[in-house]
Amino acid sequence: MALAVRQPGTEHSQEVYQGFSRDGLSHELACRTDEQKAVAITELAAKGEDFIVYHLDNIVAELRRSSNPELKQAVCKAIIAAGPAAVTFYQDMADLVNDINAEVRYWACLTLASLGPAAVGSKSKVRSLLDDSSEAVRFGACSALGGMKAEDCVEDLKAKLTDNSPEVQGAACLALGKLGVVGTPCAALVAQKLAEPRSRANALKALSLMGLEGGKHCEAICECLTDEDAETRALAASVVGKMSDYFKESPGAVSRILDLTRDQDGKHRTAAVLALGYMGKDAASHKDVIQDLLMDDFEEEADNALTVGGCRPRMPAACRKTKCAAAAALARIAAKDRGFGWEAIAEQVARLIDSDDWEARLCALDCFAALGPRAKDYVQKVVAQFTDEKYVIRAKAARAFGSIGESESISLNKLADLLQDNCPAVKSEAALALAELGADGAEHCDKVFDLLMDYNEGVRAGAITALSR
């Protein structure tokens, strides 16, 4: 894309404190240059919906005081961050669609897309931007028409599938997917865009929205599990899960996924086992295949040029390590399948808890939490994780313990000790785990009650939830 998105706070950072009143923010903005206002508003938007909504009227008012392009873009980001509450400012955004600055037009389109059908009144303005000279604006226009579900624009969007920009083609794919039934006849054309790396991700998302017509392309979707890009492989795996009803009826697609679990390339094995996991109960008959991968030591590098440069977050362990992907897949299946044959799998998962790899232990604990009582023979391995140096391991161990339902007094006391942990997440999970144990955990309810006075709101919320059960 020609236009890059600046991350909040990366240039000329102007710290804005969450304690500002509405009048205080208005005064603060009045004392700044337009460039400083733009950065400040962008940072405010990054604080999330609950905070930005409170100040939205003061922020949008800046559009009437300045013609600065950066300030206009920042206001657009604030509207996007505000969510549905920003609908009342729809007309202000629609007025920016014809702005002289291409970046402003692009952000205005994305903002209208975020407002959904409530922005349909700007459809004719947005439609005219489909032929804009800027590919970023054309991308935004496709996104906006899809977001507002402009069903009468299906032919316009279909024409954009031949745009000279693959990114615009991808945006048109996704927009057609969002149109519902009227867009499904274009599924075959959308599937063709899977061949282009720069439109592939949006084509995948679109096909997952196209029901039966999208389901006719399951085998083509499977090939995306071999993509060079880690995020695209993970997305393809999730799309397999969303389209599980169609995949389970496609022998060729299932066979291809199973073949990939035995592929020489570890990246392909990881993506394939993730896909089976996303299929949930529909893949229960293949859990033995997944079990065999619990001891697969393949590991993809966690850091690359994109993660180091801050352009992309680090991929989760289940997307990088085959054994973690297998544990995560089994957890998803176990959560839906209450059938037989899990004992041998629980034994294999227990071996991961003895691993030196903390991410492998974390995924194993997640799997035990999904297995519940079926993992009762290994509860002491879970209890041993209560003293792990990593708080995420202690928190997951508490959750797994509560799910398994062990009520032996010594183990219960060790769980109760976690209520005094120095990490809020661990305290909250311990309280919830004790609640899961019913009458056996009730003997520690006085300690859970004490958490109602904890300084951390997450811990207080966890305590309230636990005490209400």
Side-chain angles (χ1 to χ4, degrees):
M1 295 294 292
L3 303 178
V5 179
R6 179 188 299 170
Q7 295 298 314
T10 54
E11 295 182 25
H12 312 295
S13 181
Q14 304 288 323
E15 187 172 10
V16 178
Y17 295 99
Q18 196 158 341
F20 274 147
S21 65
R22 291 159 66 91
D23 290 341
L25 177 64
S26 179
H27 174 75
E28 186 71 17
L29 291 176
C31 298
R32 299 188 178 194
T33 66
D34 285 343
E35 184 185 45
Q36 290 173 331
K37 290 177 183 178
V39 176
I41 290 172
T42 301
E43 291 186 344
L44 283 171
K47 291 181 180 292
E49 178 180 348
D50 291 341
F51 178 66
I52 198 69
V53 165
Y54 183 69
H55 296 291
L56 207 53
D57 52 352
N58 281 333
I59 290 172
V60 175
E62 291 299 323
L63 290 176
R64 305 179 188 100
R65 301 189 185 109
S66 173
S67 59
N68 182 280
E70 289 190 5
L71 182 58
K72 292 177 181 177
Q73 294 168 54
V75 174
C76 287
K77 295 172 189 177
I79 293 289
I80 293 172
V87 168
T88 54
F89 300 100
Y90 142 73
Q91 190 57 53
D92 295 277
M93 297 298 99
D95 291 342
L96 295 180
V97 167
N98 294 323
D99 196 271
I100 192 172
N101 184 279
E103 286 197 55
V104 173
R105 296 197 300 276
Y106 165 71
W107 277 104
C109 285
L110 293 189
T111 306
L112 292 171
S114 74
L115 296 178
V120 73
S122 61
K123 178 175 60 180
S124 59
K125 289 183 178 181
V126 173
R127 201 173 193 169
S128 67
L129 297 181
L130 288 172
D131 295 318
D132 196 276
S133 59
S134 165
E135 70 176 80
V137 175
R138 298 197 302 277
F139 178 101
C142 289
S143 300
L145 292 174
M148 63 181 69
K149 300 188 185 302
E151 295 183 356
D152 58 338
C153 294
V154 63
E155 291 300 322
D156 301 271
L157 290 167
K158 182 178 176 181
K160 290 291 101 181
L161 294 176
T162 58
D163 193 275
N164 58 15
S165 163
E167 285 85 359
V168 175
Q169 293 173 20
C173 287
L174 185 53
L176 287 166
K178 290 181 176 181
L179 294 186
V181 175
V182 298
T184 56
C186 299
L189 294 174
V190 170
Q192 293 176 10
K193 302 307 170 184
L194 294 174
E196 165 55 56
R198 289 156 62 189
S199 61
R200 186 171 296 147
N202 277 334
L204 281 168
K205 294 174 186 176
L207 289 171
S208 73
L209 298 172
M210 289 181 159
L212 180 60
E213 291 303 312
K216 294 177 180 178
H217 305 282
C218 290
E219 293 187 34
I221 291 170
C222 285
E223 295 311 311
C224 297
L225 295 170
T226 65
D227 196 276
E228 283 300 309
D229 179 66
E231 283 194 355
T232 301
R233 293 195 304 273
L235 173 62
S238 70
V239 167
V240 170
K242 291 175 183 176
M243 301 177 67
S244 184
D245 286 344
Y246 305 108
F247 271 84
K248 69 180 180 182
E249 300 299 332
S250 174
V254 173
S255 177
R256 177 57 174 153
I257 294 174
L258 293 175
D259 285 343
L260 288 174
T261 64
R262 299 183 289 270
D263 197 274
Q264 291 185 345
D265 191 324
K267 297 191 295 292
H268 300 171
R269 297 196 301 273
T270 303
V273 77
L274 267 183
L276 290 174
Y278 278 120
M279 289 180 69
K281 191 175 181 179
D282 290 331
S285 60
H286 305 297
K287 58 181 182 284
D288 56 333
V289 174
I290 303 173
Q291 176 187 345
D292 292 341
L293 294 171
L294 284 170
M295 295 298 122
D296 190 317
D297 289 326
F298 173 79
E299 177 179 348
E300 188 174 6
E301 287 292 328
D303 296 315
N304 54 40
L306 292 175
T307 58
V308 172
C311 299
R312 173 182 291 179
R314 195 182 194 197
M315 296 293 285
C319 296
R320 296 182 282 105
K321 301 178 180 181
T322 306
K323 65 176 70 173
C324 292
L330 289 169
R332 290 191 180 98
I333 296 172
K336 300 294 184 180
D337 176 43
R338 298 297 174 181
F340 300 99
W342 286 99
E343 292 75 12
I345 290 175
E347 181 180 1
Q348 287 286 83
V349 172
R351 294 183 183 180
L352 285 186
I353 294 186
D354 295 327
S355 172
D356 292 334
D357 182 346
W358 71 269
E359 289 181 317
R361 298 200 303 277
L362 189 68
C363 291
L365 289 167
D366 260 336
C367 190
F368 271 178
L371 285 169
R374 290 169 289 183
K376 66 180 184 302
D377 291 343
Y378 307 99
V379 69
Q380 291 308 313
K381 286 183 177 288
V382 174
V383 173
Q385 305 304 309
F386 288 170
T387 56
D388 195 275
E389 64 179 8
K390 290 190 175 292
Y391 80 88
V392 288
I393 296 290
R394 301 195 301 276
K396 289 288 185 184
R399 179 181 297 182
F401 186 92
S403 178
I404 292 171
E406 175 61 43
S407 59
E408 191 267 324
S409 60
I410 296 177
S411 298
L412 268 177
N413 290 334
K414 290 181 178 179
L415 175 63
D417 288 343
L418 293 181
L419 296 173
Q420 307 301 318
D421 198 273
N422 58 9
C423 175
V426 177
K427 290 192 281 190
S428 181
E429 288 291 355
L432 294 172
L434 285 167
E436 286 292 322
L437 297 172
D440 292 318
E443 64 181 272
H444 298 286
C445 67
D446 55 334
K447 296 178 182 177
V448 175
F449 188 84
D450 289 341
L451 295 183
L452 295 175
M453 303 301 292
D454 195 273
Y455 73 92
N456 183 274
E457 63 181 19
V459 174
R460 297 196 300 274
I464 291 171
T465 303
L467 291 169
S468 67
R469 290 181 178 175

